[in-house]
Amino acid sequence: MGLPASEGGAPAVVFAGGGPGAALTAIALLRATTWLRLVYRIVLLDEHGRFARGRVYGSPGGDCPLEAPVKDMSALPDRPCHLLEWRRAAGAACGPGTVLARRVYGDYLADTLAATAAWAAPHAALVTRTARVAAVEADDAGARVLLADGGRVEAAAVVVATGDPAEAAPPRVAGALRAGAGAEGAAGAGSHGGAGCADGAAGAGLAACRCGAVLTGSGEPARRVFAVGAVRDGGPATVPRMRDQAEALAQRIADTVLRTPPGRAG
């Protein structure tokens, strides 16, 4: 969908991980910015190509029930009946208390992301690419996503959304503070490797402030690197929690990255 990440001059918001946390944040960002006519690209990079679904909603165990009923699981906080309407439109019997299978919810997120991207065009474009992110670097001028195959994607902002760090280690993020670590957790982390977020630290996520900005070794929020979902602070990755994170994060990126002129601090 959209333009290849290597084409066009529009700034890119790049997601390391393309599962439900990424989908919810992309949906929130598209909805928050389209009325402003901001021109940018959303690039989802997922190692397994399970866009919107991720491991939980796209795995063979997808017949397991969701953690909450339909009334609590809409991807759109201002439209609590959106999931209910989507399911009924498919001809299925569904009520507010219905608990759907995980695979069905994965289909819902994928459909909602595609529909939101189509609505946001031509101002914003959605790009999906199967690729593993190895590392993330950032400075005041921008961010860079380094791929495991040696490729590189330039970004205006990066959102780490790789899920539970106990299941999949997040990419190395230069200068980032690990969840549960003090300032020493990022000591020595720079653009050439260093501790990053989890060099060799199994299960270590990223420390982030309430708006979703990843914390640096000094405890300050990073300007261009963010996190959403279970990789952030190691908290539970329920859909209502991720949706709340996504809304706050979308507003932060819109205000401090996409609406901020190049070279000017947000």
Side-chain angles (χ1 to χ4, degrees):
M1 291 178 280
L3 297 171
S6 61
E7 294 183 11
V13 178
V14 179
F15 287 77
L24 287 166
T25 306
I27 290 166
L29 185 59
L30 290 166
R31 297 181 83 226
T33 57
T34 299
W35 68 277
L36 295 169
R37 301 296 191 262
L38 297 177
V39 177
Y40 67 99
R41 292 170 294 140
I42 289 177
V43 181
L44 302 186
L45 303 174
D46 190 85
E47 180 178 4
H48 304 288
R50 297 182 296 216
F51 300 106
R53 297 172 173 85
R55 179 184 57 82
V56 174
Y57 303 127
S59 68
D63 286 330
C64 295
L66 287 171
E67 67 266 24
V70 162
K71 65 183 178 67
D72 298 323
M73 299 291 282
S74 172
L76 312 182
D78 58 335
R79 293 182 58 187
C81 293
H82 185 255
L83 173 57
L84 175 66
E85 294 165 356
W86 174 87
R87 190 61 177 146
R88 287 179 173 174
C94 186
T98 300
V99 178
L100 300 175
R102 289 179 174 180
R103 60 176 174 76
V104 174
Y105 192 73
D107 292 343
Y108 163 70
L109 284 181
D111 283 358
T112 303
L113 177 58
T116 306
W119 169 77
H123 306 289
L126 175 66
V127 181
T128 60
R129 177 176 172 184
T130 300
R132 182 169 72 85
V133 175
V136 176
E137 302 173 349
D139 53 34
D140 287 342
R144 292 154 297 283
V145 175
L146 309 181
L147 305 180
D149 64 6
R152 172 172 166 155
V153 180
E154 299 293 333
V158 178
V159 181
V160 180
T162 48
D164 187 347
E167 298 284 344
R172 184 180 71 252
V173 180
L177 190 64
R178 293 191 299 268
E184 69 276 6
S191 60
H192 301 292
C197 70
D199 270 1
L206 292 166
C209 64
R210 293 182 64 182
C211 69
V214 168
L215 297 180
T216 65
S218 64
E220 295 296 317
R223 191 174 160 235
R224 297 186 181 275
V225 184
F226 307 86
V228 68
V231 73
R232 172 175 158 182
D233 299 325
T238 63
V239 167
R241 184 172 186 266
M242 285 193 293
R243 184 183 58 213
D244 290 345
Q245 289 182 356
E247 291 294 315
L249 181 49
Q251 197 61 58
R252 175 80 173 195
I253 293 173
D255 289 344
T256 67
V257 177
L258 296 176
R259 298 180 70 178
T260 301
R264 187 166 148 193

